Amino acid sequence: MLVNATAMLRNAERSHYGIGAFNTNNLEWASSILDAAEELQSPLIIQCTGGAAKWQTSFKMVSLMVHQLVEDKNITVPVALHLDHGTYEQSLECIAAGFTSIMYDGSHEETFDINLARTEEIVKLAHGKGISVEAEVGGIGGTEDGVTSNGELADPQQCKQIADLGVDFLACGIGNIHGLYPDNWAGLSFERLGEIKALTGNLPLVLHGGTGIPVDQIKKAIELGISKINVNTDLQVAFAKATRAYIESGADEQGKGFDPRKLLKPGRDAIVTRTKELMVQFGSDGKSWN
């Protein structure tokens, strides 16, 4: 069933486990992620960036696909369809397209005041339609959908100002980056996370750039208030590795091994396997209706 993400993340925050927010890139991704969640009875957030939506034609197409997959697969766990790193315009588009949750990322606006004003407007509009809202303070390192940030640490007072607008969960920069982490990465700033949590209370916090963060740091972040962990690159790497192995084995040249259904299956299976591993790592397995 498709729901907004508010209740599942409040439960996660209260019980100190994390919920994976897995980016979808196509039908294979969405279907595999759903299969993993259903098998482990884990609540799930499927999210999509503007770039991934364009690849799949539109946000509306993504919405229709996920809604239909949930129905046809008889998915019993709560699933939220979430906009990832949306602009102001994309947030409005996804509200109209049937997304059940959105992220307006105002962290790259020219001023914090613009972020504040537009977040307030989005919260009022989305909440009027039963849609949950994620906001962001402090850019996340790396590049995602053309938006590049140095990964600064979020200002705790700014986090409180955004939190006070009534957002349902908050992404805050604590040294995390998008994509693969370099060898000289300094690690997460748990001190800054603690300062932010002290001012935002029981508001669920979001960790972007979940790929490559050591497991012990992920678990500590969850204990300190992180309730949503974003994953994209991790599943892309798993898919690519499995697909490469299939082709390098020569299986695509045997019989009808070139059939896309056979060619894509190893990667699809790899997404299921890796998603399940991460759900167990985050502690969301068996928590579908907690």
Side-chain angles (χ1 to χ4, degrees), residues 45-67:
I45 299 172
I46 294 181
Q47 56 187 28
C48 184
T49 64
K54 185 177 181 180
W55 172 254
Q56 297 170 88
T57 305
S58 65
F59 284 118
K60 184 65 175 179
M61 180 62 75
V62 174
S63 179
L64 290 170
M65 178 175 64
V66 173
H67 276 80

Side-chain angles (χ1 to χ4, degrees), residues 37-262:
E38 183 68 16
E39 184 174 341
L40 290 190
Q41 285 295 290
S42 168
L44 172 67
I45 299 172
I46 294 181
Q47 56 187 28
C48 184
T49 64
K54 185 177 181 180
W55 172 254
Q56 297 170 88
T57 305
S58 65
F59 284 118
K60 184 65 175 179
M61 180 62 75
V62 174
S63 179
L64 290 170
M65 178 175 64
V66 173
H67 276 80
Q68 199 63 47
L69 282 170
V70 168
E71 179 180 337
D72 291 353
K73 284 177 170 287
N74 297 313
I75 300 298
T76 62
V77 300
V79 178
L81 175 57
H82 183 68
L83 167 64
D84 186 26
H85 285 288
T87 64
Y88 175 80
E89 292 77 15
Q90 288 170 342
S91 297
L92 299 179
E93 187 177 350
C94 286
I95 289 172
F99 278 55
T100 62
S101 186
I102 59 171
M103 176 193 186
Y104 162 60
D105 181 2
S107 66
H108 58 273
E109 299 287 8
E110 290 185 6
T111 67
F112 175 69
D113 285 341
I114 295 175
N115 185 1
L116 202 64
R118 287 187 167 178
T119 298
E120 183 176 21
E121 181 181 346
I122 291 293
V123 166
K124 290 178 180 178
L125 181 59
H127 282 182
K129 297 180 180 297
I131 297 170
S132 54
V133 177
E134 175 182 349
E136 182 172 323
V137 176
I140 309 302
T143 299
E144 177 140 336
D145 255 27
V147 177
T148 300
S149 168
N150 294 323
E152 69 265 24
L153 301 180
D155 181 287
Q157 290 295 335
Q158 289 185 350
C159 288
K160 184 179 188 308
Q161 286 181 266
I162 292 286
D164 288 345
L165 297 176
V167 299
D168 300 288
F169 37 113
L170 176 66
C172 46
I174 56 171
N176 41 318
I177 67 173
H178 289 125
L180 298 175
Y181 283 75
D183 293 336
N184 63 349
W185 178 57
L188 298 178
S189 173
F190 296 113
E191 180 180 359
R192 182 55 52 91
L193 175 57
E195 292 169 353
I196 292 169
K197 189 64 177 172
L199 292 179
T200 57
N202 60 1
L203 179 70
L205 300 178
V206 181
L207 182 66
H208 283 244
T211 298
I213 299 175
V215 176
D216 61 329
Q217 291 196 38
I218 289 281
K219 291 186 174 181
K220 184 173 181 179
I222 290 171
E223 282 299 315
L224 292 175
I226 291 293
S227 306
K228 173 177 179 276
I229 302 98
N230 286 17
V231 178
N232 186 19
T233 303
D234 196 310
L235 298 187
Q236 291 179 346
V237 170
F239 180 88
K241 183 178 180 180
T243 303
R244 177 184 292 275
Y246 178 84
I247 293 173
E248 289 184 344
S249 74
D252 61 314
E253 296 178 332
Q254 299 173 15
K256 291 190 176 181
F258 54 81
D259 185 321
R261 289 169 294 184
K262 294 182 178 180

